[in-house]
Amino acid sequence: MGRGRVELKRIENKINRQVTFSKRRNGLLKKAYELSVLCDAEVGLIIFSSRGKLYEFGSAGLSKTLERYQRCCYTPQDNSATDRETQNWSQELSKLKAKYETLQRSQRHLLGEDLGPLSVKELQQLERQLEVALSQARQRKTQILMDQMEELRRKERRLGDINKQLKSKLESDGQGSFRGIQGTWESGTVVGNNAFAVNPSHANPIDCEPTLQIGTGPAESNFVQGWVL
């Protein structure tokens, strides 16, 4: 009596599934070994159980077989290199688009938009981020204001020094002008618009007796007039 065909579907019974896995795994490893010996083929076999346990077989060493597989798959043949490059660029573009969308979503969240899908934990994390950003902004603003105040103080001190210098210069110039005016007055130089002084040592008396005589003879003596200045 022959065996019936086994329906290819997942075995629901855990014990039967484990027994079937062990039997067929051993048979598969045996077949791989027989194929490598009978046909002089390089065979590599990797099996992971449902529990994550690894079973492997390599007729020439599994690492060597994998390296050969990679060289064979990534060797440029015809347009395969161009296709792989295009695929790589497509994957890179997809990653950049996903990153861009994530950044846009984060920006909207920081602006207080699209907060509906966020959970309580995500909202708390967003709140912490905003508090940190606000604290940093306030610290930066305070630093800028302090720098501006220090610059204004330096300008004030500089203007005060300039003011002192100008005041000292004006005082020195005023004393020099006063001494010049005083010396001029003592020396007898003209001062003002209408007042003047004359040094008596340079004054000469005017000795003259001006007379005016009209006529040439005694007969005309009655007409003589004298002018005394």
Side-chain angles (χ1 to χ4, degrees):
M1 184 176 178
R3 294 174 55 187
R5 296 185 59 183
V6 179
E7 185 178 1
L8 295 178
K9 67 177 184 179
R10 184 177 181 273
I11 301 173
E12 298 296 333
N13 190 293
K14 184 182 294 185
I15 297 176
N16 294 338
R17 186 169 64 243
Q18 183 64 31
V19 171
T20 303
F21 172 77
S22 299
K23 289 181 179 180
R24 291 187 177 255
R25 178 200 65 201
N26 294 335
L28 184 59
L29 291 173
K30 182 180 178 181
K31 291 294 183 181
Y33 171 73
E34 291 175 353
L35 179 62
S36 64
V37 173
L38 294 176
C39 301
D40 195 18
E42 184 175 349
V43 181
L45 178 62
I46 300 175
I47 302 174
F48 285 96
S49 68
S50 59
R51 297 179 180 178
K53 191 174 181 179
L54 172 65
Y55 301 91
E56 62 181 21
F57 169 78
S59 59
L62 191 58
S63 299
K64 183 178 179 181
T65 303
L66 289 175
E67 291 177 1
R68 184 176 179 182
Y69 171 76
Q70 290 178 352
R71 288 195 303 271
C72 180
C73 290
Y74 293 99
T75 300
Q77 296 177 358
D78 299 334
N79 295 328
S80 59
T82 304
D83 295 339
R84 283 195 301 273
E85 185 176 0
T86 303
Q87 185 178 3
N88 292 335
W89 281 111
S90 299
Q91 293 177 355
E92 188 69 21
L93 180 61
S94 300
K95 292 179 181 178
L96 291 175
K97 288 178 66 176
K99 188 174 181 180
Y100 174 73
E101 292 176 357
T102 302
L103 291 174
Q104 275 194 331
R105 186 166 54 254
S106 299
Q107 184 180 8
R108 289 195 299 270
H109 292 166
L110 291 173
L111 294 175
E113 301 174 357
D114 298 340
L115 300 179
L118 298 181
S119 63
V120 176
K121 185 177 180 180
E122 292 174 342
L123 289 173
Q124 291 176 350
Q125 183 179 1
L126 178 62
E127 184 179 5
R128 287 193 296 270
Q129 291 178 355
L130 290 173
E131 289 177 353
V132 172
L134 182 60
S135 177
Q136 293 178 353
R138 286 175 176 172
Q139 290 178 1
R140 180 56 183 164
K141 183 185 71 173
T142 303
Q143 183 63 36
I144 292 175
L145 292 176
M146 293 294 292
D147 294 340
Q148 291 179 354
M149 290 177 63
E150 185 63 26
E151 181 65 23
L152 290 175
R153 290 193 185 99
R154 287 196 294 269
K155 289 182 178 180
E156 183 182 5
R157 289 192 295 267
R158 187 164 58 251
L159 291 174
D161 295 338
I162 295 173
N163 189 19
K164 290 179 180 179
Q165 294 176 2
L166 292 175
K167 184 177 180 181
S168 177
K169 185 177 180 181
L170 287 174
E171 290 178 352
S172 60
D173 292 345
Q175 292 177 0
S177 300
F178 178 76
R179 287 194 297 269
I181 293 172
Q182 185 178 6
T184 303
W185 176 262
E186 293 176 353
S187 62
T189 308
V190 175
V191 178
N193 295 327
N194 298 320
F196 62 91
V198 179
N199 192 339
S201 62
H202 296 86
N204 294 320
I206 300 176
D207 297 331
C208 61
E209 294 179 357
T211 58
L212 177 61
Q213 184 176 1
I214 301 175
T216 56
E220 298 176 355
S221 58
N222 294 328
F223 299 98
V224 174
Q225 295 180 353
W227 301 87
V228 179
L229 299 179

mmCIF file of all heavy atoms in Angstrom, residues 5 8 12 17 20 48 55 58 62-63 72 77 94 98 103-104 122 143 157 178 184 186 189 210:
data_model
loop_
_atom_site.group_PDB
_atom_site.id
_atom_site.type_symbol
_atom_site.label_atom_id
_atom_site.label_comp_id
_atom_site.label_asym_id
_atom_site.label_seq_id
_atom_site.Cartn_x
_atom_site.Cartn_y
_atom_site.Cartn_z
ATOM 1 N N ARG A 5 -0.336 11.339 -0.715
ATOM 2 C CA ARG A 5 0.320 12.643 -0.911
ATOM 3 C C ARG A 5 0.065 13.546 0.291
ATOM 4 O O ARG A 5 -1.045 13.618 0.805
ATOM 5 C CB ARG A 5 -0.196 13.301 -2.184
ATOM 6 C CG ARG A 5 0.144 12.508 -3.462
ATOM 7 C CD ARG A 5 -0.284 13.274 -4.687
ATOM 8 N NE ARG A 5 0.379 14.573 -4.758
ATOM 9 C CZ ARG A 5 0.138 15.469 -5.713
ATOM 10 N NH1 ARG A 5 -0.753 15.197 -6.664
ATOM 11 N NH2 ARG A 5 0.778 16.612 -5.715
ATOM 12 N N LEU A 8 0.718 20.306 0.979
ATOM 13 C CA LEU A 8 1.730 21.306 1.317
ATOM 14 C C LEU A 8 1.072 22.511 1.962
ATOM 15 O O LEU A 8 0.603 23.440 1.292
ATOM 16 C CB LEU A 8 2.524 21.718 0.074
ATOM 17 C CG LEU A 8 3.384 20.622 -0.562
ATOM 18 C CD1 LEU A 8 4.079 21.152 -1.814
ATOM 19 C CD2 LEU A 8 4.411 20.119 0.443
ATOM 20 N N GLU A 12 -0.088 22.534 11.743
ATOM 21 C CA GLU A 12 -0.547 23.285 12.891
ATOM 22 C C GLU A 12 -0.070 22.686 14.210
ATOM 23 O O GLU A 12 0.241 23.409 15.161
ATOM 24 C CB GLU A 12 -2.078 23.351 12.892
ATOM 25 C CG GLU A 12 -2.661 24.072 11.683
ATOM 26 C CD GLU A 12 -2.255 25.526 11.641
ATOM 27 O OE1 GLU A 12 -1.980 26.100 12.711
ATOM 28 O OE2 GLU A 12 -2.182 26.099 10.545
ATOM 29 N N ARG A 17 5.052 19.306 13.621
ATOM 30 C CA ARG A 17 5.839 20.241 12.805
ATOM 31 C C ARG A 17 7.324 20.114 13.104
ATOM 32 O O ARG A 17 8.153 20.123 12.186
ATOM 33 C CB ARG A 17 5.355 21.671 13.060
ATOM 34 C CG ARG A 17 6.008 22.688 12.149
ATOM 35 C CD ARG A 17 5.319 24.027 12.231
ATOM 36 N NE ARG A 17 5.434 24.628 13.544
ATOM 37 C CZ ARG A 17 4.401 24.896 14.335
ATOM 38 N NH1 ARG A 17 3.162 24.590 13.940
ATOM 39 N NH2 ARG A 17 4.566 25.446 15.517
ATOM 40 N N THR A 20 8.616 16.732 11.629
ATOM 41 C CA THR A 20 8.739 16.823 10.170
ATOM 42 C C THR A 20 9.948 17.666 9.784
ATOM 43 O O THR A 20 10.677 17.348 8.830
ATOM 44 C CB THR A 20 7.450 17.423 9.577
ATOM 45 O OG1 THR A 20 6.337 16.623 9.957
ATOM 46 C CG2 THR A 20 7.541 17.479 8.070
ATOM 47 N N PHE A 48 17.427 28.031 8.639
ATOM 48 C CA PHE A 48 17.064 28.610 9.934
ATOM 49 C C PHE A 48 15.751 27.988 10.368
ATOM 50 O O PHE A 48 14.773 28.009 9.622
ATOM 51 C CB PHE A 48 16.913 30.131 9.851
ATOM 52 C CG PHE A 48 18.217 30.864 9.762
ATOM 53 C CD1 PHE A 48 18.720 31.257 8.544
ATOM 54 C CD2 PHE A 48 18.930 31.157 10.905
ATOM 55 C CE1 PHE A 48 19.927 31.940 8.458
ATOM 56 C CE2 PHE A 48 20.129 31.835 10.840
ATOM 57 C CZ PHE A 48 20.633 32.233 9.616
ATOM 58 N N TYR A 55 21.356 25.950 10.655
ATOM 59 C CA TYR A 55 21.943 24.717 10.153
ATOM 60 C C TYR A 55 22.525 25.035 8.783
ATOM 61 O O TYR A 55 21.861 25.661 7.957
ATOM 62 C CB TYR A 55 20.888 23.603 10.025
ATOM 63 C CG TYR A 55 20.194 23.273 11.334
ATOM 64 C CD1 TYR A 55 19.022 23.939 11.691
ATOM 65 C CD2 TYR A 55 20.704 22.316 12.179
ATOM 66 C CE1 TYR A 55 18.374 23.643 12.887
ATOM 67 C CE2 TYR A 55 20.061 22.020 13.379
ATOM 68 C CZ TYR A 55 18.907 22.686 13.720
ATOM 69 O OH TYR A 55 18.270 22.408 14.902
ATOM 70 N N GLY A 58 28.405 23.375 3.578
ATOM 71 C CA GLY A 58 29.170 23.898 2.462
ATOM 72 C C GLY A 58 30.194 22.878 2.010
ATOM 73 O O GLY A 58 31.053 22.486 2.812
ATOM 74 N N LEU A 62 31.442 27.216 3.541
ATOM 75 C CA LEU A 62 30.320 28.105 3.255
ATOM 76 C C LEU A 62 30.782 29.538 2.979
ATOM 77 O O LEU A 62 30.226 30.220 2.105
ATOM 78 C CB LEU A 62 29.330 28.073 4.428
ATOM 79 C CG LEU A 62 27.985 28.732 4.176
ATOM 80 C CD1 LEU A 62 27.276 28.093 2.987
ATOM 81 C CD2 LEU A 62 27.102 28.652 5.415
ATOM 82 N N SER A 63 31.810 30.015 3.678
ATOM 83 C CA SER A 63 32.295 31.383 3.452
ATOM 84 C C SER A 63 32.843 31.532 2.032
ATOM 85 O O SER A 63 32.568 32.524 1.345
ATOM 86 C CB SER A 63 33.381 31.726 4.469
ATOM 87 O OG SER A 63 32.875 31.661 5.785
ATOM 88 N N CYS A 72 29.929 36.420 -8.395
ATOM 89 C CA CYS A 72 29.143 36.046 -9.575
ATOM 90 C C CYS A 72 27.960 36.986 -9.772
ATOM 91 O O CYS A 72 27.663 37.393 -10.894
ATOM 92 C CB CYS A 72 28.655 34.610 -9.420
ATOM 93 S SG CYS A 72 27.657 34.019 -10.813
ATOM 94 N N GLN A 77 27.827 42.325 -16.210
ATOM 95 C CA GLN A 77 27.533 41.561 -17.410
ATOM 96 C C GLN A 77 26.448 42.294 -18.179
ATOM 97 O O GLN A 77 25.349 42.501 -17.664
ATOM 98 C CB GLN A 77 27.064 40.144 -17.070
ATOM 99 C CG GLN A 77 28.131 39.307 -16.371
ATOM 100 C CD GLN A 77 27.609 37.938 -15.986
ATOM 101 O OE1 GLN A 77 26.443 37.642 -16.211
ATOM 102 N NE2 GLN A 77 28.485 37.113 -15.435
ATOM 103 N N SER A 94 14.798 57.045 -2.466
ATOM 104 C CA SER A 94 13.704 56.686 -1.566
ATOM 105 C C SER A 94 14.059 57.020 -0.117
ATOM 106 O O SER A 94 13.224 57.540 0.642
ATOM 107 C CB SER A 94 13.389 55.192 -1.699
ATOM 108 O OG SER A 94 13.000 54.876 -3.019
ATOM 109 N N ALA A 98 12.106 59.745 2.244
ATOM 110 C CA ALA A 98 11.573 59.380 3.556
ATOM 111 C C ALA A 98 12.123 60.303 4.644
ATOM 112 O O ALA A 98 11.388 60.746 5.540
ATOM 113 C CB ALA A 98 11.917 57.930 3.874
ATOM 114 N N LEU A 103 11.426 64.992 8.330
ATOM 115 C CA LEU A 103 11.789 66.329 8.777
ATOM 116 C C LEU A 103 10.622 67.296 8.644
ATOM 117 O O LEU A 103 10.397 68.150 9.523
ATOM 118 C CB LEU A 103 12.986 66.836 7.967
ATOM 119 C CG LEU A 103 14.321 66.120 8.219
ATOM 120 C CD1 LEU A 103 15.377 66.623 7.257
ATOM 121 C CD2 LEU A 103 14.778 66.321 9.654
ATOM 122 N N GLN A 104 9.872 67.187 7.566
ATOM 123 C CA GLN A 104 8.701 68.048 7.406
ATOM 124 C C GLN A 104 7.662 67.778 8.493
ATOM 125 O O GLN A 104 7.069 68.716 9.050
ATOM 126 C CB GLN A 104 8.072 67.821 6.032
ATOM 127 C CG GLN A 104 8.701 68.644 4.913
ATOM 128 C CD GLN A 104 7.842 68.642 3.674
ATOM 129 O OE1 GLN A 104 7.103 67.689 3.413
ATOM 130 N NE2 GLN A 104 7.932 69.681 2.891
ATOM 131 N N GLU A 122 4.745 60.746 22.768
ATOM 132 C CA GLU A 122 5.318 61.591 21.723
ATOM 133 C C GLU A 122 5.068 63.073 22.009
ATOM 134 O O GLU A 122 5.941 63.915 21.759
ATOM 135 C CB GLU A 122 4.733 61.200 20.368
ATOM 136 C CG GLU A 122 5.171 59.827 19.887
ATOM 137 C CD GLU A 122 4.458 59.400 18.620
ATOM 138 O OE1 GLU A 122 3.392 59.989 18.304
ATOM 139 O OE2 GLU A 122 4.946 58.486 17.940
ATOM 140 N N GLN A 143 22.443 86.902 25.982
ATOM 141 C CA GLN A 143 23.840 87.144 25.640
ATOM 142 C C GLN A 143 23.975 88.322 24.677
ATOM 143 O O GLN A 143 24.868 89.176 24.824
ATOM 144 C CB GLN A 143 24.449 85.874 25.018
ATOM 145 C CG GLN A 143 25.920 85.980 24.689
ATOM 146 C CD GLN A 143 26.769 86.188 25.917
ATOM 147 O OE1 GLN A 143 26.466 85.650 26.967
ATOM 148 N NE2 GLN A 143 27.836 86.948 25.787
ATOM 149 N N ARG A 157 32.058 105.604 27.814
ATOM 150 C CA ARG A 157 33.366 105.958 28.377
ATOM 151 C C ARG A 157 34.219 106.704 27.355
ATOM 152 O O ARG A 157 34.901 107.678 27.689
ATOM 153 C CB ARG A 157 34.082 104.692 28.854
ATOM 154 C CG ARG A 157 33.458 104.067 30.100
ATOM 155 C CD ARG A 157 34.384 103.010 30.684
ATOM 156 N NE ARG A 157 34.552 101.887 29.792
ATOM 157 C CZ ARG A 157 33.807 100.791 29.830
ATOM 158 N NH1 ARG A 157 32.819 100.678 30.712
ATOM 159 N NH2 ARG A 157 34.029 99.791 28.992
ATOM 160 N N PHE A 178 42.332 135.410 27.708
ATOM 161 C CA PHE A 178 42.210 136.441 28.732
ATOM 162 C C PHE A 178 43.545 137.129 29.011
ATOM 163 O O PHE A 178 43.624 138.343 29.142
ATOM 164 C CB PHE A 178 41.663 135.782 30.002
ATOM 165 C CG PHE A 178 41.539 136.746 31.146
ATOM 166 C CD1 PHE A 178 40.501 137.676 31.191
ATOM 167 C CD2 PHE A 178 42.474 136.739 32.173
ATOM 168 C CE1 PHE A 178 40.393 138.568 32.245
ATOM 169 C CE2 PHE A 178 42.369 137.632 33.215
ATOM 170 C CZ PHE A 178 41.328 138.546 33.258
ATOM 171 N N THR A 184 47.212 143.338 26.110
ATOM 172 C CA THR A 184 46.929 144.347 25.092
ATOM 173 C C THR A 184 46.448 145.643 25.728
ATOM 174 O O THR A 184 46.818 146.755 25.339
ATOM 175 C CB THR A 184 45.870 143.811 24.109
ATOM 176 O OG1 THR A 184 46.351 142.608 23.551
ATOM 177 C CG2 THR A 184 45.604 144.820 23.008
ATOM 178 N N GLU A 186 47.154 146.774 28.758
ATOM 179 C CA GLU A 186 48.269 147.427 29.437
ATOM 180 C C GLU A 186 49.229 148.089 28.452
ATOM 181 O O GLU A 186 49.861 149.086 28.760
ATOM 182 C CB GLU A 186 49.011 146.417 30.293
ATOM 183 C CG GLU A 186 48.171 145.921 31.475
ATOM 184 C CD GLU A 186 48.899 144.849 32.244
ATOM 185 O OE1 GLU A 186 49.980 144.427 31.763
ATOM 186 O OE2 GLU A 186 48.400 144.421 33.306
ATOM 187 N N THR A 189 47.131 149.213 23.241
ATOM 188 C CA THR A 189 46.617 148.887 21.916
ATOM 189 C C THR A 189 45.127 149.163 21.892
ATOM 190 O O THR A 189 44.456 149.090 22.921
ATOM 191 C CB THR A 189 46.891 147.423 21.583
ATOM 192 O OG1 THR A 189 48.266 147.183 21.796
ATOM 193 C CG2 THR A 189 46.522 147.105 20.149
ATOM 194 N N PRO A 210 48.160 179.849 15.019
ATOM 195 C CA PRO A 210 47.735 180.160 13.647
ATOM 196 C C PRO A 210 47.085 181.551 13.592
ATOM 197 O O PRO A 210 46.285 181.905 14.449
ATOM 198 C CB PRO A 210 46.749 179.059 13.332
ATOM 199 C CG PRO A 210 46.224 178.607 14.648
ATOM 200 C CD PRO A 210 47.337 178.781 15.632
#
